[in-house]
Amino acid sequence: MPRIGPFKGLGFNSPTPQTEDLYIKSINKTTDDYRVLLEEVRAGKLVLPNRNLDDGKSTEAGEYSLADDTYADLLAKLTAHNFDKTSTQLRDNILGFYAGATLPAETQKDSTRRQEVLADLSQLKAATPAPAVADKPANPKP
């Protein structure tokens, strides 16, 4: 197949030995890391950081507008239910998300939304988290 004209994109260059070596090392590292994570799952000790999977940065207000909207909607729903089933972990996560000095720009632009989020955050800070519920087996045996 000629590597010119419309077929130029179909051309294939063989990887160099260094590229092949880097590829094999990256696959081995990924496999090793995955194996460690699976062991943590089996032991019930897996803790994943709240990170943006695109760039690896911590998730925080103002970084991603869809996350901002989701957190604001979740906060509003929890407030509507008086935080009756809000765990300590969820409470801490939401407060951590909004820990920055200012609210996200999109929330700041909408004064009604801004006031709602601020009021909901104030209520969340004052709320007593729900006690942790022990995990129950999916199919308890008699």
Side-chain angles (χ1 to χ4, degrees), residues 31-68:
T31 304
D32 293 343
D33 291 348
Y34 186 63
R35 205 172 274 125
V36 168
L37 292 172
L38 287 176
E39 287 301 319
E40 289 178 12
V41 167
R42 287 184 190 112
K45 297 179 180 178
L46 179 65
V47 177
L48 297 174
N50 191 13
R51 300 217 176 264
N52 180 322
L53 296 178
D54 290 331
D55 60 18
K57 295 178 183 174
S58 293
T59 303
E60 57 188 45
E63 183 180 308
Y64 183 52
S65 64
L66 291 177
D68 296 338

Side-chain angles (χ1 to χ4, degrees), residues 50-140:
N50 191 13
R51 300 217 176 264
N52 180 322
L53 296 178
D54 290 331
D55 60 18
K57 295 178 183 174
S58 293
T59 303
E60 57 188 45
E63 183 180 308
Y64 183 52
S65 64
L66 291 177
D68 296 338
D69 292 341
T70 302
Y71 268 91
D73 291 343
L74 174 61
L75 184 56
K77 288 177 183 178
L78 294 173
T79 303
H81 291 280
N82 297 314
F83 307 101
D84 60 348
K85 295 189 174 144
T86 305
S87 68
T88 302
Q89 293 87 353
L90 180 56
R91 178 182 181 271
D92 293 346
N93 180 278
I94 294 170
L95 293 175
F97 181 78
Y98 286 108
T102 60
L103 291 175
E106 290 299 315
T107 305
Q108 291 285 15
K109 289 179 188 176
D110 182 347
S111 64
T112 303
R113 181 78 159 182
R114 182 181 75 241
Q115 292 304 320
E116 288 173 356
V117 169
L118 290 173
D120 292 346
L121 280 171
S122 178
Q123 289 180 44
L124 177 62
K125 288 176 186 176
T128 304
V133 177
D135 292 337
K136 296 179 185 178
N139 296 318

